[in-house]
Amino acid sequence: MSFFGLDCIKKKERELERKLRANDREYNRSFKYATNAIKTSKYNFFTFLPLNLFEQFQRIANAYFLFLLVLQVIPQISSLSWFTTVVPLILVLSVTAAKDATDDINRHRSDNHVNNRKAHVLIDRKLRNEKWMDVQVGDIIKLENNQFVTADLLLLSSSEPLNLVYIETAELDGETNLKVRQALTVTGDLGDNVEKLADFSGEVCCEPPNNRLDRFTGTLTVAGQKYPLDNEKILLRGCTLRNTEWCFGLVLFGGPETKLMQNCGKSTFKRTSIDRLMNVLVLCIFGFLAFMCTILAIGNWFWETNEGSQFTVFLPRQEGIDTGFSAFLTFWSYVIILNTVVPISLYVSVEIIRLGNSFYIDWDRKMYYNRNDTPAEARTTTLNEELGQIKYVFSDKTGTLTQNIMTFNKCSINGKSYGDVYDYTGQRLEITEKTERVDFSFNPLADPRFVFHDHSLVEAVKLENPEVQLFFRLLALCHTVMAEEKTEGELHYQAQSPDEGALVTAARNFGFVFRSRTPDSVSIVEMGQQCSYELLAILDFNNVRKRMSVIVRSPDGKLSLYCKGADTIIYERLHQSCSKLMDVTTEHLNEFAGEGLRTLALAYKDLDEGYFNEWKQRHHEASTTLEDREYKLDELYEEIEKDLLLLGATAIEDKLQDGVPQTIEQLSKADIKVWVLTGDKQETAENIGYSCNLLREEMNEIFIIAGNSPEDVREELRNARTSMKPDSAETVFLPERSLVNGVQALTDEEVNGEYGLVINGHSLAYALEHSMELEFLRTACMCKAVICCRVTPLQKAQVVELVKKYKNAVTLAIGDGANDVSMIKVAHIGVGISGQEGMQAVLSSDFSFAQFRFLQRLLLVHGRWSYLRMCKFLRYFFYKNFTFTFVHFWYAFFCGFSAQTVYDEWFITLYNLVYTALPVLGMSLFDQDVNDVWSFQHPQLYVPGQLNLYFSKKSFFKCALHSCYSSLVLFFIPYAAMHDTVRNDGKDVADYQSFALLTQTCLLFAVTIQLGLEMSYWTAVNTFFILGSLAMYFVVTFTMYSNGMFLVLPAAFPFIGTARNSLNQSNVWLTIFLTSTLCVLPVVTYRFLLIQLSPTINDKVMFKVRQARATPPPPPQRRRIRRTSSRRSGYAFSHAQGYGDLVTSGRFLRRPAVSRSTGFPGMGRTTSGFSPMGRSAGYSPTERPLNSKVPHVEVTSLQMYRTIRDPAL
Amino acid sequence: MVKAKAKPGPLARRPDNSAFKQQRLPAWSPMLTAHTVLPFFYILALICLLLGVWLLLTVQSTQEMKLFYTEAKTCAECFEKRENVSLAAEECRCTVTFLIEKAFKGDVFFYYGLKNFHQNLRRYMDSRDDGQMVGRKSNLKNPSLYCSPFSQDQNGLPVAPCGAVANSIFNDSFTFTYHKSASQNIPVPLLRNGITWYTDKNIKFRNPRMGNLTLDQVFEGTTHPPYWQKPVNELDPDDPTNNGFINDDLIVWMREAAFPNFKKLYGVLCRDNKPFTKGLPAGNYSIEITYNFPAQRFQGRKQVVLTTLTWFGGQNHFLPIAYLVTSGLVLLTAVVLTVVWFKFGKGGQNMVE
């Protein structure tokens, strides 16, 4: 944002270090730090006009027209009256100015709103209510619960124990889980004692303002003692205080210097490829214009030399103008006349079309998600047509493809599989919304949102089947979930991973309710009976172990070890007695895995008291040694987790968002390559890849790149390529990179068959290295699907960047979390899923909607249409303007190259603005080749967009040729028909004015008919626009040529009577008919021949549509994709280290029930205690996110606006 | 962009289900199919053919005769004379004779034509003041700057009518005679008014409001264009409705031609008296020309044109021929398209994916 830029310049020297003293305004003022007032608006009442005009004239098109205007003022040059340029220019300028003004008014409003918020500031030893904008650096501020943080503050003290405060940072980084900040003890002791606070005179010395949200360095000096400050003690503007009654903070940065503001307005301006092409074309057109004018100027020189010199008797030369100078003037005169090849209205119309198409996205009900009342939103209105050209889609997994919700779907207990529903004939039934659910009313503690369909499992529990009971007991005991019970019977679980939560909830519903835990006990309600198990040890999960166990003593004193883990791991540790059960369970596991479910095997073992005591002793020793502790513990765990007895297996569905497999299938049919970039582990990612149809069983091969050294990775990539395309791999063809930024574009390589590629984070790091990136890209681009696992946000962006750099293709990144922001910003189009993880991704995205499946509608319908419309618009627009202009060129050869126009000046003024504006706008807002249903039916329709088929340099050239032909017809037919003729009463009709009227009428008919040919979707509006514009032409013409207008301003309306006197002539109309016929004839012939000889995919589909018009098109198939697969599924565990430590240490449970007092229904409270890294662990068995935003949180003004100015325009 | 609407309820932000917003407006989507294109082409060919034939027959019924007189016979002398500016005021007359073999039936129109005279140069066309010619008094005394250098004479008197167009008015005059026999010369009567557009004569050109003043008084204080021999108010002293700015010849000239070769109406045959009641009878004719207009100045030629008219104007061979050619082209295309369609597209065989 330029405002801040200006500020920086004003400051003579850059701030290197910030020094301030608490409660000392005098001292702090000497540094001239910014106050807390923010200003995002650009203009005020007086500066609006000059500044806005200045800005607008920085755009090439506007500046060009200003230049023309200047030319027109010079009488020797002026070939057109001033109004031909001024009227369109004023119109364009005022439309833009109006838009800028409303934007700025809104910004003013929100600035005022924010600046006038109240804060408690400690001034003169008293707390005063001050406006935000009056807060200064060095002030001490009191914040209360649920208030916005006023400025960047150093936390001094808080109401909570240990000087903790909880903040929500959703507006900064998009994460909705609460974070904890802790004040220094030395300041925390100040408490809320105003006297003490007023006496506080600590000095802070810290880094200058910057935009890094995650880092802060500085020192606090209190009474000569220095204390280091880091990010943990800082409250940033934009956060919200939660669960904390009050806190005090010292203002470090205010207003524009806060990190929030420093982060604003950095969004890079994205341009579409059509934009870039258009710029090139406009330059070409300028060149062409100069060329034409040069020819005409030379013509003028010849004419003046040979004929003009004689004609001076009738038309004396102006003083000091000889033939050479006259040619020079003619050049500029023709620049004015032929300026319509670069029409000013082009840019305005393009903006209008894009805006209109963006509104369609906002308005689309089929992209509206009613569960959380979220419509799709086009946040950028300048990229629409690019949506029709996407070649690569980069997708995040969690929250984008999946809902990040796990449901307990099936299980296998003691060799019996539960979860499927069969009808009375034994046929397995499809589970739908309507399938009868199991009634859990017998269990008052059941979670009402839990859904299960197989009644036999409940029966088994009720019948007290021991294995089933043991199964659920294990699930209720073996986990690290925290329970919170606000009111009796209303349990909330805090799980480290959604998988765990799902398992514990399942146990809860089946009568084994985990109720609460202490560091050394777990209490559960078993079929209505309260029992407490002594928790002796948690053998926690980690990535190598892939299992977790607990050792508990049951109420009747029995010692048991319960274990759950990846099936392969558990199977290695089973007692040989369960080999039979293993076989059956394996079968079930395969079946579950085939359905894409995440599985865990469960096992248990009873322990001998003596052995356990001895083991515990060793465990204690091992956990206190300093060296090799991990290893020793692992050894111990390994020792006790053996000879387990298999109990069964669980199957959890990592619920995909609705319609994800169908969407991916559609996208792949549209030849869009989907790359999944996920932070997940390889197994999980692969698993999801299968379940969402990205990887398919019928693919020839799936390559897995998991090398540990650059050489390995290179080798694996090469091998993959060899097997995909045996003949090419030997030739090392890597394109030579030239030193200048001209990087060659990689072309797509043909491969035989379909392949998939999975690459893990390690290998990806190597693959993205400079020397290998091309190798990687080549291989990856040959595959249908690519999955990158364990990628960091930065790598996500790098991958997108890589494709952007070497592939001449349009990319789209879609994601929902803060970790996707980088790739969303880098990609040509960024799409944010406005879902569960805050709004950071949405805020930096260009389009946002609630569900991944809307992507297909965005691309295949909106994108395709937008692209089609934009291309049609451009082709037609250039056609109509070229045709218009070229006629002048031909006329020059008959009027002595004197820069005489063919048309009436009013026609020139109004041609683009009135006569042809609406019809072409109508076409570009309403046109559709086939409707949305058919677009879905034939995703191949999308391919022409990727190949730039509708508008390219070639089609532009064709347009120009077509215009050339049309203009020849439009000039020479009227010429031949008129030059020697008279009216039917013998009077003149070959005069200039009649000829001008005739030509312009012919032109208007020709371009209107041409538009009719372009249009494939005639709505009533289009028809009205077209007929209306023609009618308008006649109305305006007759008005302009009327007696009244002439008598008011004879000089401006000299065409009086022309319309009446020539449009009543039959030969005029015969000429109009002839020119129209001749203009249309070749177009229709050419198109018809094309359709017959080489029909495009569009023609084919449109043909089908016509054929099927009698019968409505079949509804899109919604078949469920079911695979029979032998693949072993990923196991259901998240991949971070478990919470075992926290649980047993008891730290986690320090403040058990206080939370109720704040009245804030926060599960965040408990989470914040240990502040888990990464994704929030909120778990909900239904789709409703518990972490959803607190409704009264407003969006800060800054984030509502992303004003991007295109510097080139 | 979506503003939160005031609608309450769980579906508050749901977009409206209107056909417009959902892009489901009912529409007609035409396509270029054989069933529409081929009949269209054949019908078009037929229409063009019929029009062409009709026009051709009509044109055949007209008669036209063109006579270049720039240097013809005795006019060569005058041509030489006009080259010399010093002799401009000297009168020069010449006569051309010609034979009409077939009688001109009906109304006969008499035109003068100029070749290579650029009335369509931008500066030439701009060099006039419509305000002056519509009788604005202020413009009469202060002609527009566009008229320069023909806006004021050396003495600073305003020129009326000002500008290059008016100054260069075609000033040859013609006397048309029918030589019925060697001795009987009958002057051919030409109607010299009613040759302008109604709007020009009655709206676009007006003499300044006179009140009680005579035309001469109105134009007092102005001077005639330098090339003119007499002031504007003496163009036709006999007929006040044809004098001053509303003089028919002036108006005709002021309607600038679009192309360098043009003809302008000079008069219409008056058919009131014999032997011209049915038009121009066949026979010998002569035209005596008062040769004033200097043709060599623009390397052009001058002609007189006699023609009869039809319902679609003068003799114009272009339109009928163009229609016939177009008809042929369309027919040819139609046949080719039919063949192509029959071979490739019939029954949608080319549409198979």
Side-chain angles (χ1 to χ4, degrees), chain A residues 3-30:
Chain A
F3 177 76
F4 303 122
L6 278 177
D7 251 12
C8 291
I9 297 162
K10 269 185 217 156
K11 221 166 275 176
K12 273 178 214 121
E13 48 200 273
R14 274 184 70 91
E15 197 179 336
L16 293 174
E17 197 179 43
R18 170 155 295 215
K19 278 185 187 159
L20 57 98
R21 190 182 295 154
N23 290 319
D24 191 347
R25 280 196 167 185
E26 287 296 303
Y27 174 77
N28 297 329
R29 219 170 267 155
S30 64

Side-chain angles (χ1 to χ4, degrees), chain A residues 1120-1168:
Chain A
R1120 190 183 160 89
I1121 294 158
R1122 201 170 260 289
R1123 291 174 290 111
T1124 48
S1125 156
S1126 55
R1127 259 180 38 78
R1128 177 53 51 89
S1129 161
Y1131 56 93
F1133 253 122
S1134 90
H1135 310 288
Q1137 182 82 31
Y1139 292 167
D1141 270 358
L1142 282 165
V1143 171
T1144 43
S1145 71
R1147 188 145 65 86
F1148 180 43
L1149 302 158
R1150 192 184 299 156
R1151 305 168 58 240
V1154 195
S1155 58
R1156 282 176 212 166
S1157 64
T1158 61
F1160 186 75
M1163 27 81 51
R1165 156 68 49 129
T1166 26
T1167 339
S1168 56

Side-chain angles (χ1 to χ4, degrees), chain A residues 313 869 991 1017 1047 1070, chain B residues 15 23 25 136 227 255 323:
Chain A
V313 174
R869 289 166 183 172
D991 64 304
Y1017 195 75
L1047 291 176
L1070 284 169
Chain B
Q23 307 198 59
L25 286 177
R136 298 264 161 106
Y227 291 6
R255 183 149 286 283
Y323 267 105

Side-chain angles (χ1 to χ4, degrees), chain A residues 14-214:
Chain A
R14 274 184 70 91
E15 197 179 336
L16 293 174
E17 197 179 43
R18 170 155 295 215
K19 278 185 187 159
L20 57 98
R21 190 182 295 154
N23 290 319
D24 191 347
R25 280 196 167 185
E26 287 296 303
Y27 174 77
N28 297 329
R29 219 170 267 155
S30 64
F31 297 103
K32 297 205 175 86
Y33 296 137
T35 65
N36 203 34
I38 56 162
K39 185 181 163 196
T40 54
S41 54
K42 277 196 279 186
Y43 318 109
N44 63 33
F45 188 78
F46 299 103
T47 60
F48 175 74
L49 208 61
L51 272 184
N52 187 260
L53 282 183
F54 176 71
E55 248 174 50
Q56 290 205 43
F57 280 117
Q58 285 177 331
R59 301 182 185 181
I60 291 176
N62 292 347
Y64 171 64
F65 275 82
L66 193 67
F67 168 68
L68 283 182
L69 194 61
V70 172
L71 281 184
Q72 284 183 344
V73 175
I74 305 171
Q76 283 89 346
I77 290 176
S78 166
S79 46
L80 283 176
S81 301
W82 52 272
F83 55 79
T84 52
T85 310
V86 168
V87 173
L89 189 64
I90 286 183
L91 208 76
V92 166
L93 291 181
S94 46
V95 166
T96 317
K99 188 176 146 271
D100 289 351
T102 43
D103 279 359
D104 210 53
I105 288 172
N106 281 334
R107 262 182 245 128
H108 269 291
R109 225 173 259 157
S110 69
D111 281 356
N112 281 342
H113 177 70
V114 171
N115 282 335
N116 288 323
R117 282 185 190 154
K118 297 286 189 200
H120 294 290
V121 186
L122 186 66
I123 300 175
D124 297 337
R125 316 188 72 83
K126 259 189 246 107
L127 274 178
R128 287 207 201 148
N129 220 355
E130 290 277 331
K131 287 179 181 169
W132 274 31
M133 53 198 244
D134 298 328
V135 171
Q136 291 184 11
V137 170
D139 288 352
I140 290 178
I141 292 182
K142 181 183 181 187
L143 292 177
E144 280 163 8
N145 199 15
N146 296 338
Q147 273 186 347
F148 285 108
V149 177
T150 316
D152 287 1
L153 305 177
L154 167 68
L155 179 61
L156 294 178
S157 63
S158 118
S159 58
E160 305 302 293
L162 300 175
N163 298 314
L164 293 171
V165 296
Y166 302 94
I167 51 170
E168 190 184 84
T169 59
E171 294 198 15
L172 280 176
D173 57 10
E175 288 176 30
T176 43
N177 54 335
L178 298 190
K179 301 216 171 64
V180 62
R181 296 281 184 267
Q182 190 172 25
L184 289 168
T185 334
V186 61
T187 58
D189 292 343
L190 300 169
D192 59 347
N193 186 328
V194 174
E195 288 297 314
K196 274 194 195 168
L197 281 165
D199 286 334
F200 178 70
S201 62
E203 277 187 48
V204 176
C205 179
C206 67
E207 61 186 20
N210 59 51
N211 58 17
R212 283 202 297 262
L213 294 174
D214 54 346

Side-chain angles (χ1 to χ4, degrees), chain A residues 76-79 303 306-307 310-311 313-318 333 358-360 362-365 368 370 373 375 377-378 381 862 865 869 891 894-896 898-900 926 928 938 940 971 973 975-977 979-988 990-995 1016-1019 1043 1046-1048 1050 1054 1056-1058 1060-1061 1066-1067 1070-1071 1073-1074 1077-1078 1081 1084-1085 1087-1089 1091-1093 1095 1097 1099-1100 1102-1104 1106 1109, chain B residues 1-2 9-17 20-34 37-38 41 44 47-48 51 55 64 66 109 111 116-118 120-125 130-131 134 136 149-150 164 168 194-200 203-204 227 255-261 263-265 293-294 296-299 309-316 318-319 322-323 326 329-330 333 337 340-341 344-345 348 350-353:
Chain A
Q76 283 89 346
I77 290 176
S78 166
S79 46
W303 193 89
N306 295 329
E307 304 200 15
Q310 307 284 317
F311 201 71
V313 174
F314 301 107
L315 185 67
R317 289 218 174 96
Q318 278 156 304
S333 298
S358 306
F359 272 118
Y360 283 133
D362 294 345
W363 287 334
D364 195 338
R365 256 167 111 94
Y368 166 80
N370 47 20
D373 191 25
E377 190 184 351
T381 55
H862 288 286
W865 282 348
R869 289 166 183 172
Y891 189 54
F894 292 83
C895 68
S898 64
Q900 179 59 276
F926 295 108
Q928 32 185 288
H938 295 276
Q940 310 90 298
F971 178 74
I973 298 285
Y975 164 70
H979 80 279
D980 198 24
T981 201
V982 289
R983 274 158 46 115
N984 57 7
D985 57 2
K987 294 172 188 172
D988 218 352
D991 64 304
Y992 169 77
Q993 295 186 341
S994 302
F995 180 75
S1016 47
Y1017 195 75
W1018 289 70
T1019 64
N1043 306 350
F1046 173 75
L1047 291 176
V1048 172
I1056 168 170
T1058 312
R1060 275 171 281 173
N1061 282 295
S1066 46
N1067 55 3
L1070 284 169
T1071 312
F1073 180 68
L1074 186 66
T1077 310
L1078 285 176
L1081 198 69
V1084 176
T1085 311
R1087 296 216 177 148
F1088 185 73
L1089 279 179
I1091 292 176
Q1092 298 305 316
L1093 296 176
I1097 177 73
D1099 297 329
K1100 288 178 180 171
M1102 281 161 88
F1103 182 75
K1104 269 194 182 172
R1106 289 187 79 81
R1109 193 160 286 167
Chain B
M1 273 176 33
V2 171
L11 303 178
R13 297 172 67 198
R14 182 162 68 174
D16 300 336
N17 190 16
F20 167 63
K21 288 190 173 182
Q22 303 307 317
Q23 307 198 59
R24 277 188 277 103
L25 286 177
W28 171 57
S29 17
M31 195 187 163
L32 295 179
T33 61
V37 171
L38 296 181
F41 269 68
L44 193 66
I47 291 176
C48 288
L51 272 177
L55 292 182
E64 190 180 65
K66 291 183 175 177
F109 294 80
Y111 297 89
N116 203 31
F117 187 88
H118 282 81
N120 59 0
L121 297 179
R122 175 168 58 85
R123 284 199 303 116
Y124 181 86
M125 292 186 84
D130 285 323
V134 79
R136 298 264 161 106
F150 303 111
S168 60
I195 55 175
T196 58
W197 289 7
Y198 175 85
T199 48
D200 282 357
I203 295 144
K204 196 171 180 183
Y227 291 6
R255 183 149 286 283
E256 298 123 331
F259 299 101
N261 304 334
K263 63 184 185 205
K264 284 181 183 290
L265 192 55
F293 203 69
Q296 71 281 8
R297 280 296 169 197
F298 52 96
Q299 294 165 327
L309 296 183
T310 63
W311 57 269
F312 87 102
Q315 194 173 49
N316 180 352
F318 175 76
L319 271 183
Y323 267 105
T326 309
L329 276 178
V330 176
T333 320
L337 291 189
V340 168
W341 169 71
F344 297 96
N350 57 342
M351 294 296 176
V352 183
E353 278 171 61

Side-chain angles (χ1 to χ4, degrees), chain A residues 590-752:
Chain A
N590 287 342
E591 196 181 301
F592 297 157
E595 288 167 34
L597 302 175
R598 290 149 69 113
T599 55
L600 279 181
L602 310 185
Y604 76 102
K605 147 188 197 184
D606 289 329
L607 289 177
D608 178 55
E609 186 79 45
Y611 170 73
F612 175 71
N613 282 338
E614 181 254 344
W615 182 86
K616 196 169 184 189
Q617 188 59 38
R618 283 191 286 145
H619 178 248
H620 182 74
E621 279 167 22
S623 55
T624 47
T625 54
L626 292 175
E627 49 191 79
D628 273 350
R629 178 164 48 183
E630 302 260 311
Y631 174 74
K632 282 179 185 161
L633 281 176
D634 273 350
E635 292 270 277
L636 275 173
Y637 291 169
E638 198 74 30
E639 179 195 316
I640 200 163
E641 289 169 329
K642 65 180 184 196
D643 293 337
L644 304 172
L645 298 172
L646 184 63
L647 199 49
T650 58
I652 283 181
E653 187 180 354
D654 183 0
K655 262 195 136 172
L656 289 178
Q657 293 205 358
D658 293 340
V660 167
Q662 290 85 348
T663 305
I664 294 209
E665 196 185 347
Q666 284 278 40
L667 294 184
S668 93
K669 273 191 200 157
D671 212 10
I672 298 172
K673 295 190 170 167
V674 180
W675 293 26
V676 173
L677 309 177
T678 171
D680 276 335
K681 254 191 83 73
Q682 186 184 322
E683 286 89 344
T684 330
E686 228 177 293
N687 200 29
I688 288 295
Y690 274 100
S691 60
C692 67
N693 219 15
L694 192 59
L695 303 175
R696 280 183 291 265
E697 282 298 318
E698 61 272 18
M699 280 185 164
N700 301 41
E701 201 178 337
I702 313 269
F703 304 105
I704 294 178
I705 312 290
N708 282 325
S709 68
E711 291 74 31
D712 288 356
V713 175
R714 190 187 294 271
E715 193 57 39
E716 282 176 43
L717 288 172
R718 285 237 170 99
N719 290 344
R721 213 164 54 238
T722 321
S723 50
M724 278 189 278
K725 198 180 173 190
D727 45 332
S728 82
E730 294 312 314
T731 56
V732 183
F733 94 120
L734 293 185
E736 289 296 314
R737 298 145 131 288
S738 45
L739 286 172
V740 201
N741 57 9
V743 184
Q744 277 166 314
L746 276 180
T747 45
D748 281 334
E749 291 169 76
E750 288 294 317
V751 288
N752 45 350

